[in-house]
Amino acid sequence: MKMNINKEDFKTTMKMAWPAMLESFFTAFVGLVDSFMVSSLGSNAVAAVGLTTQPKFIGLSMFFASNVAISALVARRKGQDKRDEANGIFTTFFLFILLMAGIISALLVVFADPIIHLCGSEPQTHDMAVTYFKIIMGCMIFNVIGMGVNAAQRGSGNTKITMRTNLVSNIVNVIFNFLLITGKCGFPALGIQGAAIATVLGTVVACFMSLYSVWKQSTFISIPLIIKTKIKPSFDALKQIVKVGYSVFIEQLLLRVGFMATALMAANQGTQAMAAHQVGMNIMGLSFSFGDGLQATAVALIGYSLGAKQPEKAKDYGRTCRMIGGAIAIFMSFVYLFGARPLMTAFFPGEQEIIDIGVSIMRVILFVVILQIPQVVYMGSLRGAGDTLYVAVVSAVSVTIVRTSASLFFGYVLNWGITGIWLGVIADQVVRYVLARARFQKGNWVNIKI
């Protein structure tokens, strides 16, 4: 599709987007490295970690929603040049996530065993999955704080700070994976428990780096400013967060129900299929990371433009992010085309059956990525404008209903197994892309007030 892109818009977008994309990419890449390092313990261990993915994200759903809200609100207030109001919203947001993290973390640790059973665990994977899940979710408060502060920073346009935070965090994660999974340099061999501890240590570092990034008077979101001017949490700020975030929260819950259904179907195909599925999800996460970085950029630029009463500029930034995303999607599809078998062989050397399953999954991902990155950018553009209810409805319908129904049909009715289950992912992406694109092009989202 021919597009006229303003060079200045492109430069502004790329200046903000490349740190956000790099941050998301390294987070996804470390997830892939995690799976690779865990694969040294066997396919059961890979499957066990995979079983914890969806319940972990369900536990984090409220925080993903509040992060979208704080990014959009901070970006809008920056465009309006209302720094004190932005910091008031951040103060309320920070207190809210601290309280909720403590409650949710305790519940997930207490009920870890039945939760993992519900996820379709088998005797050879259950205990490992429970151990991993308890450690990760028991220490989730560090992850929640780091993500929350970074979301506020992205809303204010400080994507380089969040990139550095996540880059260092991921390096710490990989180093301690190396030291703790199989035992190196005098450290104990803790297996899957070591992988979980390494992940937590990475989030601890990220948490303190994120807090340090707002411990400056000069930053738009500033803890010293909050203390100096005695900014306090307010019910009005909480209402603003809820207004933007409630639909995202519902969306996240319904998304995770749909993703959980897909994971259960994959687990039902056996441990080998589940192991290949988990690696496929990690690989697909690499392409999603670029869309996620562009989405964060779109939220900030569109929120700022609308706050400054420049609706046409907001549309231009959305189109620019979409164009960049489309180019990356085509590139990634070629990477997956030629890298499918080498990647799967690296994860499961000598396990030809799992490799073949993984390659068939990768062939589906080739088509997923073409739709995935552009639709994520469109969705982010709409979120940045505050059109979160529409995004929530589209996501819920496409993932919970379309993906689940299509996966059941192709995987079980047509008996195409794990490949058929992944065809449901394509159906989901088609629906989300078509509906998000139509909404974006209509343009009414620029009139939403938040």
Side-chain angles (χ1 to χ4, degrees):
M1 182 174 61
K2 211 175 174 184
M3 297 181 71
N4 296 317
I5 299 298
N6 182 282
K7 289 183 179 179
E8 288 304 312
D9 290 346
F10 182 80
K11 288 179 182 178
T12 301
T13 302
M14 284 304 300
K15 184 178 179 181
M16 188 178 292
W18 77 259
M21 287 192 290
L22 194 61
E23 170 202 340
S24 294
F25 175 79
F26 273 110
T27 300
F29 182 71
V30 168
L32 189 63
V33 172
D34 272 350
S35 291
F36 180 73
M37 290 179 160
V38 169
S39 70
S40 65
L41 303 173
S43 57
N44 285 341
V46 177
V49 173
L51 288 167
T52 68
T53 301
Q54 294 313 319
K56 177 181 75 174
F57 283 128
I58 289 174
L60 293 171
S61 293
M62 182 175 292
F63 307 104
F64 290 146
S66 56
N67 289 347
V68 170
I70 195 67
S71 282
L73 289 167
V74 167
R76 188 68 67 96
R77 298 301 172 265
K78 186 175 182 182
Q80 296 166 341
D81 197 24
K82 295 180 178 179
R83 189 184 182 203
D84 286 351
E85 188 174 333
N87 279 275
I89 294 170
F90 175 76
T91 305
T92 305
F93 161 79
F94 194 78
L95 183 64
F96 172 75
I97 63 173
L98 283 180
L99 178 64
M100 296 311 300
I103 295 170
I104 293 172
S105 178
L107 288 172
L108 291 174
V109 170
V110 170
F111 295 104
D113 193 87
I115 287 170
I116 297 301
H117 267 305
L118 283 173
C119 293
S121 64
E122 296 181 350
Q124 63 268 37
T125 58
H126 181 78
D127 290 341
M128 285 191 290
V130 170
T131 298
Y132 186 88
F133 188 70
K134 281 185 174 181
I135 294 171
I136 295 293
M137 303 316 291
C139 301
M140 68 181 282
I141 191 165
F142 298 105
N143 191 22
V144 166
I145 292 172
M147 288 193 308
V149 174
N150 283 352
Q153 288 281 45
R154 278 194 291 267
S156 68
N158 293 333
T159 54
K160 288 185 180 179
I161 291 173
T162 62
M163 178 195 70
R164 289 195 295 269
T165 299
N166 281 283
L167 184 59
V168 173
S169 167
N170 291 329
I171 290 171
V172 170
N173 187 358
V174 170
I175 290 171
F176 279 95
N177 269 340
F178 173 76
L179 296 173
L180 296 175
I181 291 177
T182 56
K184 304 287 185 182
C185 304
F187 283 82
L190 300 178
I192 201 164
Q193 188 178 18
I197 292 171
T199 300
V200 169
L201 289 173
T203 63
V204 170
V205 172
C207 173
F208 285 104
M209 286 185 69
S210 298
L211 288 172
Y212 179 74
S213 76
V214 290
W215 208 268
K216 300 174 185 176
Q217 187 75 37
S218 59
T219 54
F220 187 74
I221 297 297
S222 169
I223 292 177
L225 175 71
I226 292 169
I227 295 171
K228 181 181 177 181
T229 57
K230 298 180 181 179
I231 295 174
K232 296 179 181 179
S234 69
F235 186 68
D236 182 61
L238 181 61
K239 284 197 297 184
Q240 292 179 57
I241 294 167
V242 171
K243 181 182 177 182
V244 178
Y246 84 94
S247 55
V248 183
F249 175 55
I250 295 171
E251 171 197 352
Q252 284 293 319
L253 284 180
L254 293 173
L255 278 176
R256 296 305 157 186
V257 169
F259 292 152
M260 179 75 80
T262 303
L264 282 169
M265 284 185 260
N268 190 50
Q269 299 294 315
T271 300
Q272 290 182 320
M274 184 60 189
H277 172 79
Q278 173 62 15
V279 173
M281 291 295 290
N282 286 137
I283 291 171
M284 190 172 72
L286 291 178
S287 56
F288 173 79
S289 67
F290 292 105
D292 189 45
L294 285 165
Q295 174 179 238
T297 303
V299 168
L301 290 173
I302 287 172
Y304 179 84
S305 298
L306 293 177
K309 301 186 186 305
Q310 296 178 317
E312 291 306 314
K313 179 63 71 176
K315 293 178 183 179
D316 290 341
Y317 280 132
R319 284 190 286 266
T320 303
C321 289
R322 152 69 183 91
M323 182 203 71
I324 296 168
I328 293 172
I330 293 170
F331 172 77
M332 291 301 296
S333 67
F334 280 99
V335 172
Y336 294 159
L337 174 63
F338 296 107
R341 191 163 292 277
L343 274 169
M344 288 297 169
T345 302
F347 275 88
F348 307 106
E351 299 190 64
Q352 195 57 47
E353 186 176 348
I354 301 181
I355 292 170
D356 290 340
I357 294 170
V359 170
S360 70
I361 289 172
M362 289 290 291
R363 287 172 182 160
V364 178
I365 294 175
L366 284 174
F367 297 97
V368 171
V369 68
I370 297 296
L371 299 163
Q372 179 193 45
I373 296 178
Q375 69 87 2
V376 169
V377 174
Y378 280 135
M379 292 291 204
S381 299
L382 297 174
R383 286 193 183 102
D387 197 6
T388 52
L389 181 58
Y390 179 82
V391 173
V393 172
V394 168
S395 297
V397 169
S398 63
V399 177
T400 310
I401 300 175
V402 174
R403 176 187 287 207
T404 304
S405 301
S407 292
L408 283 169
F409 177 74
F410 291 116
Y412 291 89
V413 176
L414 297 184
N415 202 30
W416 291 354
I418 191 70
T419 305
I421 291 168
W422 270 82
L423 288 175
V425 179
I426 290 184
D428 157 36
Q429 294 294 335
V430 168
V431 171
R432 275 196 273 180
Y433 174 81
V434 170
L435 294 179
R437 182 174 182 270
R439 184 73 162 192
F440 179 87
Q441 290 190 326
K442 192 173 182 181
N444 292 341
W445 48 272
V446 298
N447 300 316
I448 297 173
K449 307 294 182 185
I450 62 172

